[in-house]
Amino acid sequence: DIQLTQSPSFLSASVGDRVTITCRASQGISSYLAWYQQKPGKAPKLLIYAASTLQSGVPSRFSGSGSGTEFTLTISSLQPEDFATYYCQQLNSYPFTFGPGTKVDIK
Amino acid sequence: QVQLVQSGAEVKKPGASVKVSCKASGYTFTSYDINWVRQATGQGLEWMGWMNPNSGNTGYAQKFQGRVTMTRNTSISTAYMELSSLRSEDTAVYYCARGGGSGYTFDYWGQGTLVTVSS
């Protein structure tokens, strides 16, 4: 199985900050990576797919990059509604594993 | 608009089975896979498996092989996930998610179904 790690696991930031989350895969997954945002008590929401494609309706302050084994999710200017947990997921091969998550909290 | 609406919360005893439904609307049900993901309280997301509603083909994570069955009823655009031999560690929120598209990703999710396993 492909393992995903995320760093940091917890991030404290202020509104307006630029935030970067890293996801690393245990083996190459090309660009088959997605990013999700999850708020407490809610289902995950797709933000980015194919490593860098912004899902329709997602604000342009979210961006993704990377390929192979290293990927990043960047929020260019953190907004109050962005405080949440972020997960990466690989869709290169079954099982479709998720990273452990990065919680973004208010500083 | 695309919607996945799941059945309500369940409480089961250890050793029992649970069957969660996921009703799709707003798109052609047979054109996209349905995946199932679970999340224990305070924990991360765990992928359980997928089903192609058109063919009925399925694929399960090794961890759930032999205990999970994913089926569908295309006449009512509904997918089902049945988990048997429940134990306390299966207490979690179970989500269905539509899989597909150019990048194959989970673009729409159900609201989640809490399954509690307790004696």
Side-chain angles (χ1 to χ4, degrees):
Chain A
D1 297 0
I2 296 173
Q3 310 300 320
L4 297 179
T5 58
Q6 288 182 235
S7 59
S9 54
F10 180 84
L11 188 160
S12 186
S14 301
V15 172
D17 284 354
R18 181 182 181 87
V19 166
T20 299
I21 299 168
T22 298
C23 176
R24 290 185 175 86
S26 59
Q27 61 191 78
I29 58 170
S30 185
S31 295
Y32 293 104
L33 188 101
W35 290 96
Y36 301 88
Q37 175 194 67
Q38 188 179 35
K39 296 182 179 179
K42 300 293 187 182
K45 173 188 174 183
L46 176 66
L47 299 175
I48 302 279
Y49 64 94
S52 61
T53 303
L54 194 67
Q55 172 69 350
S56 176
V58 174
S60 59
R61 62 181 180 272
F62 291 94
S63 64
S65 65
S67 68
T69 61
E70 188 153 334
F71 303 84
T72 59
L73 172 70
T74 299
I75 309 171
S76 60
S77 178
L78 200 65
Q79 298 302 300
E81 60 268 29
D82 301 336
F83 292 97
T85 300
Y86 294 84
Y87 294 94
C88 57
Q89 181 198 24
Q90 67 82 17
L91 300 112
N92 180 75
S93 61
Y94 295 119
F96 289 158
T97 43
F98 291 88
T102 295
K103 184 175 182 179
V104 178
D105 211 343
I106 302 171
K107 186 183 258 183
Chain B
Q1 73 283 23
V2 174
Q3 277 194 299
L4 298 174
V5 178
Q6 298 183 222
S7 48
E10 303 261 14
V11 179
K12 295 292 182 181
K13 293 195 181 304
S17 297
V18 69
K19 192 171 186 177
V20 179
S21 68
C22 171
K23 182 171 178 59
S25 61
Y27 72 98
T28 302
F29 178 62
T30 51
S31 295
Y32 293 83
D33 293 345
I34 293 290
N35 288 262
W36 291 88
V37 175
R38 77 177 187 180
Q39 184 173 39
T41 302
Q43 302 301 307
L45 302 167
E46 183 175 32
W47 180 79
M48 300 179 68
W50 64 272
M51 181 192 63
N52 180 309
N54 185 45
S55 63
N57 288 345
T58 56
Y60 305 137
Q62 181 82 9
K63 175 176 180 177
F64 301 102
Q65 288 273 5
R67 282 210 303 145
V68 71
T69 305
M70 296 176 188
T71 58
R72 87 289 192 211
N73 182 334
T74 55
S75 67
I76 55 172
S77 300
T78 300
Y80 303 92
M81 186 283 299
E82 183 170 19
L83 188 63
S84 62
S85 303
L86 290 169
R87 35 212 189 226
S88 58
E89 310 89 87
D90 294 317
T91 295
V93 175
Y94 290 76
Y95 295 101
C96 59
R98 190 180 84 161
S102 58
Y104 196 94
T105 191
F106 297 3
D107 56 358
Y108 289 92
W109 294 63
Q111 82 277 20
T113 296
L114 175 62
V115 175
T116 302
V117 183
S118 173
S119 54

